[in-house]
Amino acid sequence: MRRILSIMLILLLLSACGAPAPAGEPPAEPKAPETPAEPAPPPEPEPVPYEIGDPTVEREGYVPWNGRVEHLFFHPVIAYPELAFDGDSQANGLDDFMVTVNEYNKILQSVYDKGYVLVDINSVWSEYNDNGIQRMKVNTLYLPEGKKPLVLSFDDTNYYPYMLENGLTYKLIIGDDLKIASWGKDPQGNEVVSRDLDAIPILDKFVEEHPDFSPFGAKGCLSLTGYEGILGYRTQTDTKEWDDAKEANRQKEREAVKPIIEELRRTGWTFGSHTWGHIRLGSGNMTKIEADTQRWLDEVGSLVGETAILFYPHGERPDGNDWTNTGPAFQYLQEKGFRVFCSVGIESFSAIKGDICAVICDRLHPDGTTLRRSRDRYLQFYDAKDIMDIDVRPQREISWEKD
């Protein structure tokens, strides 16, 4: 009997396990494994805020400076000396007029160590009305105590085709970090984006690392021609032939360079004219000077904006002598809006013209020529013995090696 009861209990349990679920309650489906959420994309980079101040405004802890404002100018710097100094027809010219990246870095460090601070050339002089006559005056600058003012300018920042073949960078771009960088190719032909191979982003980085070098946010003034475009972008018209395709490409290049110009301006860079065609202003050819000036205003000024700064090509002064003579070329250029006329000389000379609203000045030129031959003249800034990359430059005479 007990055995029968056990068998009936087992059958009852089996039938209960296999019983259908109550109506309206379907069996629960197994849960699918949860898919992990995708990580949020990193935030888009934003431009670093940048403040530009006025050195002519008095502020606590700053002292007036009424002495000379030094002015150094550079050409584009040599990123790859092995391409620049390869023995071809360009090598000696590059040796004469340019410095290498390494030399440039050492010069920046030296002027910083010697107490110079950057100021904008547009802050050094200003225009005012003197009883109905427009004149120029020297501004009093207010600097951190113990500091000395320095203007930097950079000629031919156009990235001419010959430069691209000789170890210089190709153009300026905005990098992934939204900062100005250079684009170019290394000796093996690889594309290189860098902030360490071009004078402009190198100075940007130096100021980031040494903000007291630029207490007012100033960097330098870029001296632009126009006949091969600007900043590595082919914004020029052709003097020989033209068609719709070339004009379309020119307009594309103009649009591409605009963000570069905007970012340069935002971060302390300014612009000046080096004439459109790098012409000789002492020629007396007014037809050529007028046509060239208008072309610069149309093709370059329309992009970079108004400027009062003119840098003489070849250092050649209008009308032969702008110090004692105010001839037709100088008068015309002044009428077109230029007020500060920069040549090249053996010191940072400047003078206010008495017969016209204008300033004339000279700039010093750190380059291969002065590194080799003018060591003493530049000791207030650096010692050529500590700067010059003798091992990578052509083996030409160096005057101070005889000392």
Side-chain angles (χ1 to χ4, degrees), residues 162-314:
Y162 87 87
M163 295 178 177
L164 316 187
E165 304 165 0
N166 284 281
L168 285 81
T169 56
Y170 284 44
K171 63 180 177 179
L172 296 180
I173 64 169
I174 295 178
D176 293 339
D177 58 1
L178 302 186
K179 296 179 180 180
I180 295 291
S182 67
W183 181 91
K185 294 185 178 181
D186 67 15
Q188 291 72 45
N190 302 306
E191 295 186 11
V192 179
V193 173
S194 176
R195 298 184 72 213
D196 300 310
L197 297 174
D198 185 282
I200 294 168
I202 287 173
L203 182 56
D204 283 340
K205 281 188 66 176
F206 193 89
V207 170
E208 289 170 15
E209 295 162 3
H210 307 83
D212 56 330
F213 186 44
S214 183
F216 312 104
K219 300 286 181 54
C221 189
L222 304 181
S223 168
L224 300 171
T225 61
Y227 68 97
E228 292 287 358
I230 63 171
L231 307 176
Y233 296 82
R234 303 312 172 202
T235 57
Q236 77 279 9
T237 54
D238 196 295
T239 55
K240 298 178 181 178
E241 60 181 48
W242 204 244
D243 56 35
D244 291 344
K246 289 182 178 179
E247 178 60 23
N249 184 69
R250 185 177 87 92
Q251 293 301 330
K252 182 180 178 181
E253 292 283 278
R254 283 177 62 88
E255 291 305 311
V257 78
K258 288 178 180 179
I260 313 299
I261 294 168
E262 181 180 354
E263 181 62 12
L264 288 168
R265 280 199 173 281
R266 188 185 74 84
T267 54
W269 294 91
T270 60
F271 300 93
S273 172
H274 203 33
T275 75
W276 184 87
H278 207 269
I279 65 171
R280 293 190 175 275
L281 294 172
S283 67
N285 186 335
M286 287 304 300
T287 300
K288 183 174 183 179
I289 291 171
E290 291 175 9
D292 179 275
T293 303
Q294 191 57 53
R295 196 164 191 179
W296 190 93
L297 293 170
D298 291 342
E299 294 187 15
V300 182
S302 61
L303 288 167
V304 302
E306 293 183 359
T307 179
I309 315 299
L310 177 64
F311 299 95
Y312 297 156
H314 316 284

Side-chain angles (χ1 to χ4, degrees), residues 30 50 57 59 65 78 104 128 146 186 190 212 214 217-218 222 225 242 249 331 350 359 369 374 378:
Y50 197 85
V57 175
R59 46 176 59 84
W65 177 274
I78 295 168
Y104 178 67
Y128 73 104
D186 67 15
N190 302 306
D212 56 330
S214 183
L222 304 181
T225 61
W242 204 244
N249 184 69
Q331 293 180 47
S350 68
V359 174
T369 300
S374 303
Y378 287 78

Side-chain angles (χ1 to χ4, degrees), residues 111-156:
V111 295
Y112 172 74
D113 292 342
K114 290 181 179 292
Y116 287 97
V117 293
L118 298 180
V119 296
D120 178 7
I121 190 172
N122 295 282
S123 300
V124 180
W125 303 275
S126 60
E127 185 173 348
Y128 73 104
N129 186 285
D130 179 20
N131 294 320
I133 300 173
Q134 293 301 113
R135 301 188 185 279
M136 298 295 289
K137 66 177 181 179
V138 179
N139 294 327
T140 297
L141 304 178
Y142 294 88
L143 307 178
E145 190 166 5
K147 299 298 184 180
K148 300 169 287 187
L150 174 66
V151 167
L152 296 181
S153 56
F154 298 81
D155 283 11
D156 300 294

Side-chain angles (χ1 to χ4, degrees), residues 38-84:
E38 293 188 9
E44 291 290 327
E46 295 183 0
V48 177
Y50 197 85
E51 184 176 348
I52 297 177
D54 184 353
T56 67
V57 175
E58 295 185 56
R59 46 176 59 84
E60 186 177 353
Y62 285 51
V63 296
W65 177 274
N66 291 300
R68 173 178 289 180
V69 177
E70 298 291 350
H71 189 163
L72 301 178
F73 94 89
F74 297 87
H75 286 102
V77 297
I78 295 168
Y80 302 106
E82 62 269 42
L83 296 180

